Amino acid sequence: MEKWPLGVFAGIDAGMGVKLEVARELGVPTIQLHAPQRATRTKENAELFLARLRELDIRITVVFAGFEGESYADIPTVARTVGLVPPASRSARLEEVKEISDFARLLGVDAVGLHIGCVPHDEADPLFSGTVAVTRLLCDHCRSNGQNLHLETGQEPADVLLRFLGEVGRDNLFVNFDPANMILYGCGEPIEALRKIGRYVRSVHCKDAKWAARPGEEWGTEVPLGEGDVGMENYLRTLDELGYTGPLTIEREIPREPSRQKEEIGRGIRLLNELKAKIEGVEVRVQIFSAPRGRGG
Ligand code: MG
């Protein structure tokens, strides 16, 4: 597979992300798909959708789950409503992600992603052990479908996420790294976090943001790619050092008119292509000028 194929976060019904046609116009070879609503997740629809993707020459790399009742209004509301952490909705949501995993299998996709929610920083918190238990069940279901589970980053610092991954202890549990979320939620400098979590990273979002005045208490601000505090060149160089060769999926979450969104994502694609060429160029020079090594040396 090509190194770092570009992608966008896309949806097929009322879900989040750009429409497939926009992905096609942007010329990207991959998408991450926001799972469609339950009524849409049929075998028949999966086949129709796959035929459409073949026509467009687009491949799905991850199917992302989201849930009714989630709200990103402010950080405390996220903690109360998002993912598998809130206990009241946990078992129903587990069943729903299992269904989404089954739908992803119909689409031939081997990775399911989600925001697990705000994992408590204190391991003694019952929400921590409850979330560990439900994540194990979900990993095991994904395994039965030949899939990995990718947790989106940013709602907790890297060290908390590492402890959580270790506690779950499933070898099909990985990370979808989103550098902007680290800034938006005030959960740590993104490149430092990427280095800590690097061995788990199997998919990434290319998204940018500016720090809040009071990080962690109020949202940072999502901005177009290259205009925020992530540092896209440093981000890609770090992914390169970590040996990450998978898709670079642009995510632009702020709802806005489609033409503006397409124009902004188009600029993001140009930026990533320029950086890819620059970084690959550096690699070529290193190869040319590095001293030849004898066999067995
Ligand atoms: Mg993201």
Side-chain angles (χ1 to χ4, degrees), residues 228-261:
D229 294 327
V230 169
M232 278 301 142
E233 180 167 347
N234 196 12
Y235 180 45
L236 293 200
R237 286 189 188 280
T238 307
L239 287 170
D240 201 30
E241 280 170 32
L242 292 166
Y244 178 82
T245 58
L248 301 178
T249 305
I250 296 178
E251 182 184 41
R252 186 77 175 110
E253 294 191 280
I254 296 171
R256 51 177 67 239
E257 69 272 34
S259 63
R260 180 75 196 278
Q261 191 182 46

Side-chain angles (χ1 to χ4, degrees), residues 66 85 114 129 150 160 170 180 212 236 243 281:
V85 175
L114 86 158
S129 54
H150 295 192
V160 174
R170 290 294 189 269
L236 293 200

Side-chain angles (χ1 to χ4, degrees), residues 152 178 181 205 207 251 253:
E152 174 98 356
D178 186 326
N181 283 354
H205 285 163
K207 193 170 86 185
E251 182 184 41
E253 294 191 280

Side-chain angles (χ1 to χ4, degrees), residues 141-161:
H141 187 86
C142 288
R143 169 168 305 293
S144 75
N145 282 330
Q147 295 159 334
N148 293 330
L149 182 67
H150 295 192
L151 302 186
E152 174 98 356
T153 56
Q155 291 164 343
E156 53 281 313
D159 292 327
V160 174
L161 185 59

Side-chain angles (χ1 to χ4, degrees), residues 9 19 123 134 174 266 268:
F9 197 84
K19 299 294 152 217
E123 287 165 56
V134 73
F174 294 99

